[in-house]
Amino acid sequence: MGYTLITANRNYSSWSLRPWVLMKALGMAFEDRIEPFTKPDNYDDFRAFSPTGQVPLLLDGELSIWDSLGITLYLADRHEGVWPQDRAARAFAQAIVAEMHGGFGALRNDCTMNVGVRVALNPMSPALARNVSRVREIFEQGLERFGGPWLAGAQFTAADAFYAPVAFRIRTYGLDVGGGQAWVDRVLAHPAMIEWETEALAETWREESHEAELVAAGTITADYRQA
């Protein structure tokens, strides 16, 4: 039967992007099903197909696997390349994936993902500044330690997939990640990321809470989304 991956709006859904870009980059075939955010609270609608009322959700025959990290771990048991082969690189990749999955609250809240806009960000809170500094440290450490061009070495892995939404945020809000910008430029140029961005710009769905968060973050200087 093959995989079905259920995701939400390309513009907003950073959690959806992670398993989607991982599967695309590693050549895993799947049916791509979008369930867009259409109201402030989509929980009851999403509960019709997801036990958490959230996306992403991976379907594999009779199995349902939820949460971006849960999906990644499930795929890693079945496909080569999700994690690096090198022991040190694998340990680094798994640690930074866990860190992203459980942390960076200020970055998530203050710089919500919106693929199609550019924003002059309000002055950063101390918490956001710390998050951005830590992202820069992760990028620079990974590239220097494992030789690039990806975060844990020569191949795209789950580490890159989990920070792919951050690349969109860095571009949207003009965040300074120092030497990590080389990775940002590379991942934004990946064919899977270009495909996601193209679909995001073509979307006409708008979700009020996401748009309100965007306005609160700063001044919109450009909007490339379809009206």
Side-chain angles (χ1 to χ4, degrees), residues 23-104:
M23 295 177 77
K24 285 279 185 175
L26 297 187
M28 301 179 197
F30 64 96
E31 178 185 343
D32 192 359
R33 174 177 156 192
I34 299 177
E35 295 284 347
F37 303 127
T38 57
K39 59 184 73 169
D41 186 350
N42 297 273
Y43 176 81
D44 288 337
D45 293 337
F46 283 17
R47 276 280 293 173
F49 56 83
S50 171
T52 64
Q54 297 176 316
V55 291
L57 182 78
L58 181 69
L59 304 177
D60 184 13
E62 75 284 0
L63 297 177
S64 296
I65 306 94
W66 55 91
D67 188 274
S68 58
L69 182 55
I71 293 168
T72 298
L73 296 175
Y74 182 82
L75 294 172
D77 286 341
R78 289 155 181 79
H79 299 272
E80 295 291 331
V82 173
W83 302 116
Q85 289 296 315
D86 176 77
R87 180 169 173 264
R90 178 181 291 245
F92 176 79
Q94 291 175 340
I96 65 171
V97 163
E99 184 177 357
M100 173 52 65
H101 189 261
F104 295 99

Side-chain angles (χ1 to χ4, degrees), residues 24-221:
K24 285 279 185 175
L26 297 187
M28 301 179 197
F30 64 96
E31 178 185 343
D32 192 359
R33 174 177 156 192
I34 299 177
E35 295 284 347
F37 303 127
T38 57
K39 59 184 73 169
D41 186 350
N42 297 273
Y43 176 81
D44 288 337
D45 293 337
F46 283 17
R47 276 280 293 173
F49 56 83
S50 171
T52 64
Q54 297 176 316
V55 291
L57 182 78
L58 181 69
L59 304 177
D60 184 13
E62 75 284 0
L63 297 177
S64 296
I65 306 94
W66 55 91
D67 188 274
S68 58
L69 182 55
I71 293 168
T72 298
L73 296 175
Y74 182 82
L75 294 172
D77 286 341
R78 289 155 181 79
H79 299 272
E80 295 291 331
V82 173
W83 302 116
Q85 289 296 315
D86 176 77
R87 180 169 173 264
R90 178 181 291 245
F92 176 79
Q94 291 175 340
I96 65 171
V97 163
E99 184 177 357
M100 173 52 65
H101 189 261
F104 295 99
L107 181 62
R108 298 183 198 282
N109 294 331
D110 298 352
C111 298
T112 56
M113 192 174 89
N114 196 307
V115 174
V117 300
R118 306 293 180 268
V119 176
L121 189 64
N122 292 331
M124 288 189 190
S125 67
L128 177 58
R130 286 194 297 269
N131 278 186
V132 173
S133 177
R134 177 58 182 151
V135 166
R136 174 176 178 166
E137 185 176 55
I138 287 170
F139 289 177
E140 292 180 342
Q141 180 183 2
L143 293 173
E144 179 179 355
R145 184 177 177 189
F146 303 108
W150 301 107
L151 291 179
Q155 304 299 322
F156 187 105
T157 67
D160 305 286
F162 266 69
Y163 285 80
V166 178
F168 280 133
R169 287 178 164 98
I170 289 167
R171 186 179 65 180
T172 293
Y173 299 97
L175 304 177
D176 181 6
V177 291
Q181 187 64 42
W183 175 84
V184 173
D185 294 341
R186 178 172 291 274
V187 77
L188 289 175
H190 192 286
M193 290 287 279
I194 292 174
E195 180 180 349
W196 181 280
E197 180 182 4
T198 299
E199 294 179 7
L201 298 183
E203 285 179 345
T204 57
W205 299 306
R206 296 291 182 267
E207 206 285 306
E208 291 182 4
S209 65
H210 285 274
E211 296 297 312
E213 290 169 348
L214 185 66
V215 171
T219 303
I220 298 174
T221 59

